[in-house]
Amino acid sequence: MGLIVNPRGTAGSGKTEIVRRVLAAYDWQGPGRAEPLFRPGRTRPFAYRLAHPAGGRPLVVLGQYGGTCGGCDTIPARDGGLPAALLLAAERATAGDDVLLEGLALSADGRLSAALAARHPLHVLRLDTPPDRCVQNLLSRRRAGSGAGGALAARLAAKVEAERAALLRACEALRSRATVEALPFDVALDRALVLLGVAPWRASASRAGVTAGGGGGDQSSGGSRNRSVSPGSCPAWVSRTWT
C-alpha cells in the first residue's frame, strides 16, 4: 500500500510550492515522465502519475499546477470536488502508488480526511509559516507589494487568521488517525521528499529558490493506520501517456 502525503496550510503558506518542488524532483516535465489520469466528463487531467526517479513507487499528484492555485482546489464541484479527489487518492494508495495532494479546502477538512486516514497511511505536513509572511505572499500574488493599502492587508490578515483556526481544528481532529507534523517550509519540503524516498541531492535541488519562508515549528505525530480497503465505489478512471 502506498503512502498519502498531504501538505496543509493557509493561503500563502507555501503548500502549493512544496508540491511544485516535489514535481521538479521527479522531473515531471521530462518525456514520458507524467501519465495524466482523466475522469469521464472532465477535459483536463484530474491527476498525474509520475515515475519515481530512483525506481521506487510511482507518485500520483492530484489536480493542476499551471497557475497560482493548485491541487485539489483546481477540481471543481462539477467534477466531484474534494470527495472525488480523496476517492482517487484511496484508489491509488490501495493500488500501491504514493499520493501527494493539497489544497485550501482540504487543509480545513477533518471529516473526509479522517475517513481516508482510517484506511490508508496519511502523513500531514502542517506548514508553520508565520501569518505575516502568508499575508506578504498573498499581496505579492496580487502584485500589491509592500505599498498595498492597509485595508487590503487587514482583510488578508483576517482571512489568514480564520483559515489558520480551521487548519488547526482539522489537524487536531486527525491526530488519532494520521501522522501530523507542524514544520517550517524548508523542513516540510525535505520531509515530503524523504517520505517519498527521493535522494537527498534532489531534495537540495528542489529547495533552491524557495521563498515561502517559515518559522520554527513544533513536531508531533499520531498513529498512522495501515489497513487496506478495496476501492469500492471509486469512479472509473482512464489514462494516457503524457507527451
Side-chain angles (χ1 to χ4, degrees), residues 49-202:
R49 187 170 185 260
L50 314 176
H52 193 281
R57 289 192 297 260
L59 176 67
V60 171
V61 179
L62 275 291
Q64 300 287 313
Y65 283 90
T68 302
C69 177
C72 295
D73 293 334
T74 66
I75 302 172
R78 66 177 179 272
D79 292 332
L82 186 57
L86 295 187
L87 279 175
L88 178 58
E91 178 189 280
R92 297 317 311 166
T94 297
D97 294 341
D98 289 333
V99 178
L100 181 62
L101 73 168
E102 58 84 20
L104 188 59
L106 177 59
S107 292
D109 173 73
R111 181 178 62 85
L112 295 174
S113 300
L116 179 68
R119 298 173 174 86
H120 301 277
L122 174 64
H123 202 114
V124 174
L125 304 173
R126 177 170 70 79
L127 292 175
D128 201 21
T129 310
D132 59 341
R133 175 60 67 87
C134 295
V135 170
Q136 286 302 313
N137 287 342
L138 292 173
L139 289 171
S140 296
R141 282 185 196 172
R142 299 169 188 230
R143 294 182 171 83
S146 59
L152 175 58
R155 287 197 300 272
L156 290 176
K159 167 182 163 64
V160 167
E161 187 58 35
E163 291 170 357
R164 179 174 171 79
L167 167 69
L168 294 177
R169 286 194 300 269
C171 288
E172 187 59 33
L174 286 172
R175 287 189 186 279
S176 64
R177 294 183 181 270
T179 299
V180 179
E181 295 181 281
L183 303 169
F185 181 91
D186 286 349
V187 180
L189 173 59
D190 280 351
R191 184 73 169 128
L193 289 162
V194 168
L195 287 168
L196 297 171
V198 178
W201 70 267
R202 286 185 177 270

